[in-house]
Amino acid sequence: MPGPRWLVGVVMLVACGGGPNKDSVFECDVSTAPSPTPMRRLSHDQYRQTVHHAIERLGGSVLRERVGERVDALIDRIPDDFADETLSREDQVISQTHAEQWYLVAETVADGVRTLDPLPCDDPLCVPEFIETQGSRLLRHPLNDEERTFFGSIYDAVPDHADGIRDLVLVWLSHPMFVMQVEHGASEDGSDTTALTGPELASRLSYHAWNAPPDDALWTKALDGSLLDEAVYVAEVERLFDDGRSRGPRERFFRDWLQLDTVPRLDLQVGQPRFDAFRGDVTPTAELSELVRDDTLNLLEWHIRNRSPLDDVFTAAVHTVTEPEVGALYGTNQLWDGHSDPETLTTGHGGLLTRPAFHVAGTASTRPIRKGVLIRRRILCDSLGDPPADLGPEPEIDPAATQRQRTEQLTEIEGSICAGCHTFVNPLGYATERFDGLGRARTQETVWGLEGERLATSPVDDEGMLRIEATDETVTAGHEALAEALADSAKTDACLARFWFRHTWGRHEDEAVDGCVLQGVEQRLQQGESLDEALRAIALDPTFRQRRFDEGETP
């Protein structure tokens, strides 16, 4: 059994200096103006889809075959959006690498267009129409006279027609309006809060729901002005969210919110005696961590399709396991087909937080602290401070101690610098200790030695004070009680509203002015509306169709 330093790195992840935030209900003041709407760059996912949309428009399958692989390789070199405590859409860093790769992508597509026969505009006479149709569509706004003149000068700057078309494509795909979400609004009086134009609204909605530019149907409604009609807009929101293309952006949100991309590699200790003794007849592969992540996404997507309320996400034991290697962690060889109504799990697992993605550790031990921190921060939105610089002397720990006993001795000694925080964090992790470090259900914990020898076997202790509310000292036991407590708490509704707001707007909320938007999502969840309807609601809020400029910024 490893010494006490085994947990020190995990302990350092936990904020031992702060307590939970009790705020959970938002106040709505309809007299406040919306928050300023900063200009945002496209996310990594949005940019990739935007480039491929351009390729399809400019040259279809022929151009895709010529440049698609090279373009994807260049996009892969762009730093992925950082998602840790924040969400990926909140990453607005533009680095030198971004600028360089954006240009190289534009150059690659433009060079590919240059080789097409016929060209997308095969005669100088069609250049004005080419600029008007393709230029406006790729830049996602109707062109004005100044832009028409400028793009015409780009074409005229070279004597060869094909080179002129190539240069137009290069300029468009490296243009700020291609790589950014640029919104000027419809106001002409200089007011700081303005309704979006039809094309701006179409782009905002499409990038929110699909991570992609508007399709032809949405763009047509944007240009003819009908998208600004309430009934038409509501119908388009429903159409986009009902479309299968909404799944990818929604899954990216779930990955960010629940930190599913941090699932560790599970095969690295295969061959180590202790881990081999622990894993038994389960042999993790390098792909298992991704399969485990996707297993959780399958569950969440089924709840979206089923129009389940958020409470059911935490409590319903739904069998949505599709992969045999993941089924081995559940202890079942019966798999879901991905389409029909799933059966009830009978493996000892239950709702969302019992799924292996939250329990797999890549070692022979569990991670109650990590699980507790995730629930506090991502499910309840409780505030936790930074860990102390000095953890103090390490206690002597019995090698045969259970993971809970070790964690208690390391972090919960009465009067220690860490105890105040960990008494709020650890019990949430302890409640899920009926799942081992591979996510398998258990009633007993076996402690293995370095050479794979059995040191001890003890009943799992999953009892404790969850303190969903800081003053609640009710003692419960097990993941079922945790799931019910989370489902009953208003904090989970408010917390999901916060994270969905951040995903939508690419920034943290300001409760003083964003309270109405947050409350709209929160109340739908509290009233038992489906998770799917609650996530759609933010696009129906009036502020989604507006832009407010920062003080001093010219519209």
Side-chain angles (χ1 to χ4, degrees), residues 8-18 377 384-392 410-411 416-422:
V8 169
V10 180
V11 174
M12 291 298 293
L13 294 174
V14 179
C16 295
R377 287 181 169 164
L384 299 172
D386 295 326
D390 183 6
L391 296 177
L410 283 167
T411 65
S416 70
I417 194 170
C418 292
C421 180
H422 281 271

Side-chain angles (χ1 to χ4, degrees), residues 8 23 117 155 170 183 319 370 476:
V8 169
D23 296 337
D117 185 15
Y155 172 79
L170 174 62
E183 299 165 342
H319 189 338
R370 193 263 179 192
T476 62

Side-chain angles (χ1 to χ4, degrees), residues 228-479:
L228 302 181
D229 177 81
E230 179 72 18
V232 173
Y233 177 71
V234 170
E236 285 300 288
V237 171
E238 296 301 312
R239 180 177 74 86
L240 266 65
F241 276 91
D242 285 340
D243 191 284
R245 283 171 282 186
S246 67
R247 178 168 181 169
R250 189 167 50 241
E251 287 190 345
R252 182 58 191 245
F253 165 69
F254 289 140
R255 285 163 52 192
D256 290 353
W257 171 43
L258 298 171
Q259 298 182 320
L260 295 176
D261 289 339
T262 65
V263 173
R265 282 277 298 271
L266 304 179
D267 62 315
L268 298 181
Q269 290 199 19
V270 172
Q272 300 295 320
R274 180 173 57 235
F275 187 72
D276 287 349
F278 158 72
R279 65 182 176 84
D281 58 1
V282 172
T283 303
T285 64
E287 295 76 29
L288 182 55
S289 59
E290 185 174 347
L291 295 176
V292 163
R293 181 201 69 189
D294 291 345
D295 172 64
T296 298
L297 294 175
N298 286 340
L299 171 69
L300 289 164
E301 190 59 28
W302 180 83
H303 279 300
I304 291 289
R305 282 204 327 252
N306 191 55
R307 302 294 175 97
S308 303
L310 180 59
D311 291 357
D312 285 2
V313 175
F314 290 114
T315 62
V318 183
H319 189 338
T320 54
V321 185
T322 62
E323 297 293 333
E325 194 173 354
V326 179
L329 306 184
Y330 283 90
T332 181
N333 55 14
Q334 296 182 345
L335 302 176
W336 180 46
D337 62 13
H339 304 288
S340 59
D341 289 340
E343 298 178 357
T344 300
L345 273 174
T346 58
T347 60
H349 299 76
L352 175 66
L353 296 179
T354 71
R355 305 299 158 135
F358 301 101
H359 305 286
V360 292
T363 68
S365 302
T366 58
R367 302 183 295 176
I369 296 174
R370 193 263 179 192
K371 292 186 285 185
V373 168
L374 184 141
I375 294 170
R376 282 285 174 210
R377 287 181 169 164
R378 314 301 278 196
I379 306 298
L380 298 170
C381 287
D382 286 335
S383 297
L384 299 172
D386 295 326
D390 183 6
L391 296 177
E394 300 173 0
E396 297 257 348
I397 297 179
D398 183 352
T402 65
Q403 187 59 49
R404 173 166 183 163
Q405 291 166 345
R406 294 173 54 78
T407 304
E408 288 174 338
Q409 291 182 61
L410 283 167
T411 65
E412 296 182 41
I413 297 175
E414 187 173 354
S416 70
I417 194 170
C418 292
C421 180
H422 281 271
T423 55
F424 283 98
V425 169
N426 296 358
L428 296 170
Y430 298 153
T432 64
E433 281 294 280
R434 270 190 264 165
F435 303 99
D436 69 13
L438 283 173
R440 299 175 295 189
R442 64 181 184 178
T443 58
Q444 293 188 317
E445 176 181 351
T446 297
V447 181
W448 302 96
L450 286 173
E451 301 304 320
E453 71 275 21
R454 187 190 305 266
L455 299 180
T457 299
S458 306
V460 170
D461 181 2
D462 55 9
E463 186 177 276
M465 287 186 288
L466 299 178
R467 289 178 174 163
I468 303 298
E469 299 293 341
T471 57
D472 183 3
E473 297 188 351
T474 303
V475 175
T476 62
H479 64 83

Side-chain angles (χ1 to χ4, degrees), residues 489-509:
S489 175
K491 293 173 69 173
T492 58
D493 304 316
C495 190
L496 180 56
R498 290 183 192 276
F499 277 103
W500 185 245
F501 179 95
R502 297 168 190 175
H503 173 77
T504 302
W505 293 105
R507 63 173 176 85
H508 267 46
E509 65 282 359

Side-chain angles (χ1 to χ4, degrees), residues 130-199:
F130 181 67
I131 291 174
E132 191 69 33
T133 56
Q134 296 288 20
S136 65
R137 191 65 184 274
L138 295 178
L139 301 183
R140 303 185 293 280
H141 73 280
L143 303 181
N144 57 37
D145 289 341
E146 183 179 356
E147 290 171 315
R148 294 185 189 98
T149 300
F150 171 72
F151 292 136
S153 70
I154 295 296
Y155 172 79
D156 292 337
V158 293
D160 183 76
H161 171 70
D163 287 340
I165 296 299
R166 181 257 183 199
D167 288 356
L168 280 173
V169 173
L170 174 62
V171 169
W172 289 335
L173 267 63
S174 55
H175 198 284
M177 287 191 175
F178 184 83
V179 299
M180 308 285 290
Q181 294 190 60
V182 181
E183 299 165 342
H184 296 288
S187 174
E188 297 181 358
D189 61 6
S191 58
D192 66 350
T193 300
T194 175
L196 297 178
T197 66

